[in-house]
Amino acid sequence: MILLFRLLIFVFILFLVYTAIKYILSPKRKLELAHEHKKYFFLDDHQDIRKNFLLTYKGALFEGEKYLGTTDEAFEVVSIFIWPKSTAALQGLERKDFLYIQSEITRNYPNAVIYWKSPVKEFLKE
């Protein structure tokens, strides 16, 4: 009986350690932490083309939608549409910030053309 009780406690402790490690290494948690600290973080599943990516930069959260197409070599992401989750968070961002975001996305998807949605699209046209 005591041995069974010790085994249950040991399994419970292992479960707690596993849950803590899984939480600490969670990409969603890293995105939230970077968003709170107003740092850059790019969260994307490169294997799943249908899944949108999220990125945060200077406290603004952006979502991007990927579209598959053909290049000379293979099927790849050829266009990306990006929009801010909250337009109020764009306060203080400059043109160079959006160009930095574009360069980081281009690093991950070199064959993609990036299209911004409103209000960033109008801001970059000025």
Side-chain angles (χ1 to χ4, degrees):
M1 185 68 155
I2 294 175
L3 184 63
L4 181 63
F5 183 69
R6 286 182 181 174
L7 182 64
L8 284 175
I9 289 175
F10 180 71
V11 169
F12 181 71
I13 291 172
L14 282 178
F15 174 74
L16 286 178
V17 169
Y18 170 76
T19 305
I21 290 172
K22 190 172 178 180
Y23 172 76
I24 290 171
L25 298 177
S26 168
K28 283 272 193 190
R29 189 192 70 80
K30 289 180 182 179
L31 176 75
E32 292 169 3
L33 193 62
H35 185 66
E36 288 174 12
H37 290 120
K38 298 185 178 187
K39 295 185 177 183
Y40 174 81
F41 188 79
F42 186 72
L43 176 63
D44 185 25
D45 183 2
H46 289 283
Q47 304 303 320
D48 190 359
I49 190 69
R50 289 173 271 138
K51 194 171 185 182
N52 292 355
F53 66 80
L54 296 170
L55 71 88
T56 182
Y57 182 70
K58 291 189 176 180
L61 185 64
F62 298 91
E63 185 170 357
E65 192 170 8
K66 307 173 280 192
Y67 291 95
L68 189 66
T70 58
T71 62
D72 293 338
E73 302 295 321
F75 284 97
E76 295 184 26
V77 174
V78 293
S79 62
I80 296 175
F81 286 87
I82 307 171
W83 62 92
K85 293 289 243 175
S86 168
T87 55
L90 296 177
Q91 182 178 357
L93 292 180
E94 301 172 358
R95 183 176 307 276
K96 67 179 180 175
D97 296 323
F98 295 106
L99 297 177
Y100 173 76
I101 291 170
Q102 281 185 226
S103 70
E104 290 297 314
I105 294 170
T106 303
R107 185 182 304 167
N108 291 295
Y109 298 103
N111 296 316
V113 178
I114 299 171
Y115 301 99
W116 289 91
K117 291 188 178 181
S118 292
V120 179
K121 178 171 82 172
E122 289 80 14
F123 173 70
L124 292 177
K125 281 186 179 180
E126 293 177 0

